Amino acid sequence: MRALVITAPGEAEVREVPVPRARGGEVVVEVEQAGVCGTDLELFHGTLSYVRDGLTTFPIRPGHEWCGRVRSVGAGVDQSWLGRRVVGDTMLGCGRCRRCQSGRHHVCAVRTEIGIRGDQPGALAERLALPASALYAIPEVLSPAAGALVEPGGVALRAVRAAALRGGERVLVLGGGTIGHLCSAFAVAHGATVTVADPRPEALELAGRFGAVGVAPDDLPDEPSFEVVMEASGGPDSAQRAVRLVEPGGHLVLVGLANQPSMVDTRDLVFGDLTVSGLLGASAGLEGVIAWYAAGEVVPDDLVAAVVGLSQVPALFRGERPAQAGSGPKIHVQPSRHG
């Protein structure tokens, strides 16, 4: 089968690789559609912290945002999975430690992250093997775009849950990328009044499609003005700015990851009596996102600017945007597509 392989920092190619077989407890999924994530770009450039820390080594086969259909099952797996449309958890814990046993497998110290950390190949390939325990069924009604946006949606839904929205709150989302817009969409669906700050006009226009108000960062107020601020830009100075914009007693939710240390004056957190949440991964949000999408309460499809084949992904990694791409921040891949 064909799969994308990052062979070294700055180098990627499509290769013929062996078709995976489902071992005990595993399934093999035919990948319908997969997303190219900012994490994949960091892997390509070698800037991801896991690379620096030796937790990820090359070559690596990326891809962790996907949907597909189960084509084979290994020993011990319920046969009813065969033929079902699914998505999967990226985070695979050891299953034995206290974190895993308490439902925190996404922060297991020895976890594997599909297509990111460890030796579990990712979904930018025609087929993908993974444990059946990581599967979530999705309905046929979901578009391929929505299916492949379940994983980033899980991060966003966790962010909204962390903010404990009850309706009526003023929420600011810093960053109009995929995660930022999904945070905005779920916050709107929870009854909040949402502002998205981003310097790009196309991001501000897209914010309006999800029910938010888009503003340029320079147009934000200088004083605390929002009960909740979600930092989704990953800018190194954005977290400290977020702190200054949260109303006393409010929530600061951190989902963006900067490529360098983000400095925050903890005195501002204390004097503001702020609740601060940092979120890693989508695990606890996946089931909820599927329900929201399936009900049509959040429709994420406008985030996808183009759908390409595997052969075009190396060019994407080098910064080339597909011809005729729309304004959305996300590029999707159909591994079965040639050309």
Side-chain angles (χ1 to χ4, degrees), residues 219-232:
D219 293 333
L220 288 171
D222 294 326
E223 66 280 345
S225 304
F226 302 91
E227 286 92 350
V228 176
V229 176
M230 300 181 181
E231 203 304 292

Side-chain angles (χ1 to χ4, degrees), residues 28 39 60 78 80 83-85 89 93 97 152 156 169 177 199 219 224 281 329:
V28 170
T39 301
I60 185 168
D78 190 330
S80 68
R84 297 183 75 180
R85 204 157 172 248
D89 196 343
C97 68
E169 295 90 350
D219 293 333

